[in-house]
Amino acid sequence: MSGDLEDKPQPLIEHLIELRTRLIWSLVAFFVAFIGCFAFAKDLFNLLVVPYKWAVIWAGLDVSKAELIYTAPQEFFFTQVKVSMFGALVIAFPVIAAQIYKFVAPGLYKNERQAFLPFLIASPVLFLIGAALVYFFFTPMVMWFFLAMQQAPDQNGIAISLMPKVSEYLSLIMTLVFSFGLVFQLPVVTTLLARVGLLESAWLAGKRKYFIVVAFVIAAVLTPPDPVSQIGLALPTILLYEVAIYAARLVERKRAATAVVEADESAGAGNV
């Protein structure tokens, strides 16, 4: 009896073994990327500081006097660790995404795999577009907004200067990058849901006014408490919602055209 049970296939165990293999490969890729990034952690952080330098220039200040500080002995070390983890996640993402696809693909039909692959490519591309928007525009704008609040010394007051901490600056730019990167996944998510029939373009269009309110609420939660970054995230989110509606309509048109072709082929086969 026990021998028969041992001889039977155990698909759950096989899936768990496969999942473990994919997780190991993902962790190895992340760890190797982390080691490489940590070796150049200061260079990576200096690269992230460039938008702050742009903001200093926009504010008309002397860029040579711009500085970041740390107030705890271990603060800059842990900041470098966070920078390395951030860089490792970006570098290892193609490997992680490939492992996810290899784990999911055996359970998909051929046409489903063909439909899934473009989104696997589009997702990191859209994330990078969102991150680039943060790096080249929104981070300098946010920092310029904060720098503009500085107060020069005069008879009525003392000097109030911005001296950002390295950990807080990194937290700000990482929050903005992940916020914009996630928001830029909206067309991908809605298109996938439209493909499986869980969303319709008409329903999305009908909920537009509610989504505008939700977009500003999400922006207020995900971004720092300043109007520049909140409006800067809300507006692209609303624009991406319109792109998602258009993408859903394209999916529906393609599905309708495919249905017509299949109906014609069935009719032709019946006549034969």
Side-chain angles (χ1 to χ4, degrees):
M1 182 73 176
S2 60
D4 295 336
L5 289 175
E6 292 177 357
D7 292 337
K8 291 182 179 180
Q10 300 178 12
L12 178 60
I13 299 300
E14 292 176 1
H15 289 320
L16 291 176
I17 293 174
E18 179 71 12
L19 178 61
R20 183 188 65 180
T21 302
R22 301 307 169 195
L23 286 174
I24 290 174
W25 277 109
S26 299
L27 290 174
V28 168
F30 177 81
F31 182 74
V32 171
F34 174 81
I35 296 299
C37 289
F38 190 75
F40 301 96
K42 288 186 178 180
D43 296 325
L44 291 175
F45 189 80
N46 288 331
L47 186 63
L48 294 177
V49 172
V50 172
Y52 177 57
K53 292 182 179 179
W54 293 339
V56 171
I57 295 173
W58 293 357
L61 303 174
D62 186 359
V63 70
S64 64
K65 296 182 180 179
E67 62 178 348
L68 301 176
I69 65 171
Y70 61 97
T71 57
Q74 74 279 8
E75 181 178 346
F76 190 44
F77 170 77
F78 285 113
T79 299
Q80 293 181 64
V81 171
K82 291 179 182 178
V83 169
S84 303
M85 292 176 66
F86 179 70
L89 186 61
V90 173
I91 294 173
F93 180 80
V95 177
I96 296 172
Q99 296 304 313
I100 293 174
Y101 176 74
K102 289 180 179 180
F103 178 73
V104 175
L108 301 176
Y109 292 107
K110 183 178 180 180
N111 61 334
E112 292 175 336
R113 290 197 296 269
Q114 292 174 347
F116 186 74
L117 275 174
F119 296 104
L120 198 62
I121 298 172
S123 183
V125 170
L126 288 173
F127 187 91
L128 290 176
I129 292 174
L133 195 62
V134 169
Y135 185 86
F136 290 104
F137 182 70
F138 283 104
T139 298
M141 283 292 295
V142 170
M143 295 307 299
W144 171 82
F145 175 81
F146 292 141
L147 285 167
M149 300 177 68
Q150 294 184 123
Q151 176 177 291
D154 55 25
Q155 295 179 352
N156 300 322
I158 62 173
I160 301 177
S161 302
L162 174 64
M163 298 183 68
K165 295 172 63 178
V166 291
S167 58
E168 292 175 349
Y169 176 78
L170 178 64
S171 177
L172 170 66
I173 195 168
M174 287 179 63
T175 299
L176 289 173
V177 166
F178 280 114
S179 298
F180 276 78
L182 291 176
V183 165
F184 270 67
Q185 303 305 308
L186 184 61
V188 174
V189 174
T190 53
T191 305
L192 280 173
L193 293 176
R195 276 184 175 272
V196 298
L198 295 177
L199 278 181
E200 295 181 355
S201 60
W203 184 87
L204 291 172
K207 303 298 181 182
R208 182 184 285 110
K209 58 183 179 181
Y210 302 108
F211 183 81
I212 292 174
V213 177
V214 172
F216 280 95
V217 172
I218 293 174
V221 172
L222 293 180
T223 60
D226 68 276
V228 176
S229 57
Q230 291 177 4
I231 296 174
L233 179 58
L235 292 181
T237 304
I238 296 170
L239 178 61
L240 288 169
Y241 188 75
E242 298 298 327
V243 173
I245 294 174
Y246 179 74
R249 286 174 180 165
L250 290 179
V251 170
E252 291 169 356
R253 291 172 186 171
K254 185 176 180 180
R255 187 189 301 129
T258 302
V260 170
V261 171
E262 291 177 351
D264 291 341
E265 289 177 352
S266 299
N271 293 332
V272 173

